[in-house]
């Protein structure tokens, strides 16, 4: 590790399994960040996902051969006696929700641009790379650099898995963004990508209203396979009738109805969602109006999305 990289003392983050520090690739003088993951803390499952299942190799190949502006770039994966080392680009911009708090209030036009970039990242991940992210949430999007000239980037691929392999049975991610079929253990390989799409629907609702569409107790109630999808469908109907959504354009609401669909086979794919009229037509009158949402609402959602995690080791 030290032969290839100069590890700087400045920490840029810390998780349950390691510290992220700024670094420099010696031969190319390229700035980067390195996450050192303790093997003793991460356990065998980390190796199984990163090495044995080929996730690390897939992420490196994606970054070098098929990069996308809206997806974080990985440079290297190394293994030492006591740590795994994950090397990736350093994102200089703010987290999405932090930026929203800073520039509050926002408009539907802003939400339109953000959701489009999120869907573009997933269209590439699902359709070109063949991965399912499995932890799509607001906290996993950050701007690459200064927001005015920088794309929004999807990061944290530690739960990602192949879209073509059978579901591994793991109920993982963040509760607020979990789909009904995941909670109910009804995931089928052909529809694994639909879990990410449900999460985009939750994100769209949050951005338009400053509130979560579902309570944790409601989501946990989907744990009964026989009734989960019916319960979720009835709850979605009530959620989509909430007064907070009256400020949104009909096009935005029409897309939301196609994303928050309890039956995974009926959800739009990321590519199909990008062809929706909300993106293909001229902005509707009123999209530049400020959304009547409180800053405190976004702040509560930001806190809730960090405290409802059910995860395994992440990259």
């Amino acid at each position: 590790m030290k032969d290839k990289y100069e590890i700087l003392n400045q920490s840029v983050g810390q998780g349950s399994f390691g510290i992220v520090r700024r670094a420099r690739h010696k031969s190319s003088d390229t700035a980067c960040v390195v996450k050192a993951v303790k093997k003793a803390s991460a356990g065998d499952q980390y190796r199984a996902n990163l090495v044995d299942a080929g996730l690390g190799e897939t992420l490196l190949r994606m970054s070098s051969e098929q990069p996308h502006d809206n997806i974080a770039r990985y440079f290297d994966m190394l293994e030492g006696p006591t740590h795994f080392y994950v090397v990736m680009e350093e994102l200089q911009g703010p987290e999405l929700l932090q930026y929203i708090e800073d520039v509050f209030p926002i408009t539907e036009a802003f939400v339109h641009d953000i959701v489009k970039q999120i869907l573009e990242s997933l269209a590439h991940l699902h359709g070109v790379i063949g991965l399912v992210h499995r932890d799509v949430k607001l906290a996993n999007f950050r701007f690459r650099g200064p927001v005015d000239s920088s794309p929004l980037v999807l990061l944290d691929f530690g739960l990602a898995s192949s879209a073509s392999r059978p579901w591994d049975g793991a109920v993982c991610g963040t509760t607020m963004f979990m789909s009904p079929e995941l909670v109910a253990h009804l995931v089928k390989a052909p529809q694994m990508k639909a879990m990410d799409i449900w999460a985009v629907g939750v994100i769209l609702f949050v951005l338009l209203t400053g509130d979560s569409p579902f309570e944790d107790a409601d989501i946990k109630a989907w744990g009964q396979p026989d009734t989960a999808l019916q319960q979720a469908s009835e709850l979605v109907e009530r959620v989509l009738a909430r007064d907070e959504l009256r400020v949104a354009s009909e096009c935005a609401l029409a897309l939301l109805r196609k994303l928050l669909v309890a039956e995974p086979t009926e959800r739009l794919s990321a590519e199909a969602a990008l062809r929706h009229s909300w993106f293909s037509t001229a902005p509707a009158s009123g999209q530049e109006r400020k959304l009547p949402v409180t800053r405190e609402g976004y702040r509560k959602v930001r806190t809730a999305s960090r405290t409802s995690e059910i995860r395994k080791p992440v990259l």
Side-chain angles (χ1 to χ4, degrees):
M1 180 69 193
K2 292 182 179 179
D3 292 340
K4 297 179 68 175
Y5 297 94
E6 177 187 1
I7 308 298
L8 307 178
N9 288 329
Q10 188 174 9
S11 171
V12 295
Q14 183 168 356
S16 301
F17 302 98
I19 297 175
V20 182
R21 297 187 185 279
R22 286 193 172 92
R24 181 183 65 85
H25 185 246
K26 291 181 178 179
S27 63
S28 66
D29 199 33
T30 301
C32 56
V33 295
V34 174
K35 182 171 185 177
V37 180
K38 293 181 181 179
K39 290 183 176 180
S41 301
D44 294 338
Q45 197 170 28
Y46 191 92
R47 166 181 279 280
N49 203 34
L50 180 69
V51 181
D52 301 339
L55 176 61
E57 181 180 341
T58 299
L59 293 175
L60 291 176
R61 187 168 59 250
M62 172 183 70
S63 297
S64 63
E65 299 176 9
Q66 297 171 308
H68 191 278
D69 281 349
N70 298 113
I71 295 179
R73 294 163 189 162
Y74 289 84
F75 298 149
D76 211 347
M77 307 274 177
L78 301 169
E79 182 176 357
T82 59
H83 289 76
F84 291 107
Y85 299 96
V86 180
V87 186
M88 61 177 291
E89 67 172 314
E90 181 180 3
L91 301 173
Q92 302 281 353
E95 288 186 0
L96 174 57
L97 268 180
Q98 181 61 61
Y99 177 73
I100 289 173
E101 288 183 30
D102 291 344
V103 301
F104 182 88
I106 61 173
T107 65
E108 184 179 316
F110 173 84
V111 175
H112 170 282
D113 180 61
I114 291 299
V115 173
K116 184 177 182 182
Q117 291 189 73
I118 290 173
L119 287 168
E120 285 174 341
S121 72
L122 291 177
H124 186 76
L125 190 69
H126 293 170
V128 178
I129 307 303
L131 287 179
V132 182
H133 189 276
R134 300 208 294 185
D135 197 21
V136 174
K137 61 180 179 179
L138 288 157
N140 278 341
F141 288 94
R142 190 180 192 116
F143 292 94
R144 178 165 279 121
V147 176
D148 290 343
S149 59
S150 175
L152 185 68
V153 173
L154 173 62
L155 62 152
D156 198 345
F157 285 78
L159 302 181
S161 65
S162 171
S164 60
R165 292 179 180 172
W167 179 48
D168 59 9
V171 178
C172 56
T174 304
T175 304
M176 182 189 298
F177 302 91
M178 285 183 178
S179 65
E181 71 273 16
L182 175 61
V183 179
H185 291 79
L186 295 174
V187 177
K188 297 179 181 178
Q191 289 90 44
M192 284 180 62
K193 300 171 188 176
M195 295 188 294
D196 288 347
I197 300 303
W198 174 273
V200 179
V202 174
I203 288 173
L204 176 54
F205 184 95
V206 169
L207 293 178
L208 290 173
T209 67
D211 194 11
S212 172
F214 312 110
E215 300 291 338
D216 277 7
D218 295 325
I219 297 171
K220 291 172 183 176
W222 299 339
Q224 299 298 322
D226 293 340
T227 59
L229 297 189
Q230 181 61 35
Q231 283 185 334
S233 181
E234 293 171 357
L235 182 56
V236 166
E237 287 299 315
R238 296 196 295 272
V239 163
L240 294 179
R242 282 169 56 169
D243 289 343
E244 300 98 305
L245 287 172
R246 291 182 180 178
V247 299
S249 68
E250 184 52 44
C251 270
L253 294 179
L255 176 60
L256 185 60
R257 294 186 191 103
K258 294 291 187 178
L259 302 178
L260 287 183
V261 181
E263 172 53 58
T265 60
E266 297 177 6
R267 276 174 229 148
L268 292 180
S269 67
E271 287 188 356
L274 286 168
R275 295 192 295 270
H276 190 270
S277 58
W278 196 38
F279 302 116
S280 61
T281 59
S285 174
Q287 282 195 21
E288 290 297 340
R289 289 198 308 266
K290 305 295 184 182
L291 293 172
V293 181
T294 66
R295 181 184 276 108
E296 184 61 25
Y298 289 123
R299 190 171 292 128
K300 286 181 179 178
V301 168
R302 186 182 185 203
T303 301
S305 67
R306 291 184 180 280
T307 57
S308 62
E309 294 183 343
I310 303 174
R311 297 180 56 84
K312 61 185 179 183
V314 297
L315 296 179

